[in-house]
Amino acid sequence: LMGDSDGMVARKFAAAQEHGLTPILCVGEMLEERQSDSTLEVIGRQFSAVADAVGIESFENAVVAYEPVWAIGTGETATPDQAQEVHAALRAMAAERSAKIAADLRLLYGGSVKAANAADLFSMPDIDGGLIGGASLDAGEFLAICAAAA
């Protein structure tokens, strides 16, 4: 939407850290990329652009969120298995650079997380929590998501 390249995202990530913020690197594919089985290639390119620019050590104070573009604001969501596949791949990409960083890396799922799907998503081994969008505007819905995370 904003026309950011992978390089621009890497520069924004670095600038956030330079100013004492904890960046959340959002990675995700378009619907056409999901349908053409390019998801892991796209995610790998996005993650690597930042890791190459700032170094894997920068992820010690960062969060990575998988947020499929096709799920933003649509009510559509990745299945728990689809989300887990991407999260496991992200952790493996980090592990190729540093086992310690990979083990401690906080990986969130964003993309129409709701009370109805939160428990199933959060039960996956590599999903550490959620990046909650519109559901956070409804107190009851948000509290139910929080309960699912506990």
Side-chain angles (χ1 to χ4, degrees):
L1 181 62
M2 303 305 290
D4 285 346
S5 65
D6 293 340
M8 177 59 77
V9 171
R11 290 190 294 279
K12 288 180 177 184
F13 183 99
Q17 284 191 324
E18 288 168 12
H19 289 90
L21 300 174
T22 300
I24 301 174
L25 172 63
C26 293
V27 297
E29 79 283 15
M30 306 289 282
L31 182 58
E32 303 79 38
E33 293 165 328
R34 160 77 44 198
Q35 292 172 336
S36 68
D37 292 325
S38 301
T39 297
L40 297 183
E41 177 184 323
V42 171
I43 301 306
R45 186 195 76 233
Q46 294 168 340
F47 179 81
S48 292
V50 176
D52 290 346
V54 299
I56 194 65
E57 298 78 19
S58 293
F59 285 89
E60 189 168 29
N61 182 36
V63 176
V64 177
Y66 168 51
E67 190 166 17
V69 177
W70 52 267
I72 298 171
T74 65
E76 297 294 322
T77 189
T79 67
D81 289 334
Q82 288 171 328
Q84 170 56 28
E85 177 187 28
V86 173
H87 283 77
L90 283 164
R91 199 169 306 280
M93 289 173 209
E96 289 174 5
R97 297 167 187 257
S98 169
K100 179 187 180 326
I101 296 293
D104 296 335
L105 185 59
R106 292 172 288 174
L107 297 174
L108 306 181
Y109 174 76
S112 297
V113 176
K114 313 179 256 293
N117 62 20
D120 289 337
L121 288 164
F122 300 162
S123 71
M124 294 289 130
D126 289 297
I127 299 177
D128 300 321
L131 185 65
I132 314 305
S136 68
L137 302 175
D138 178 316
E141 184 81 5
F142 188 67
L143 287 172
I145 293 168
C146 292

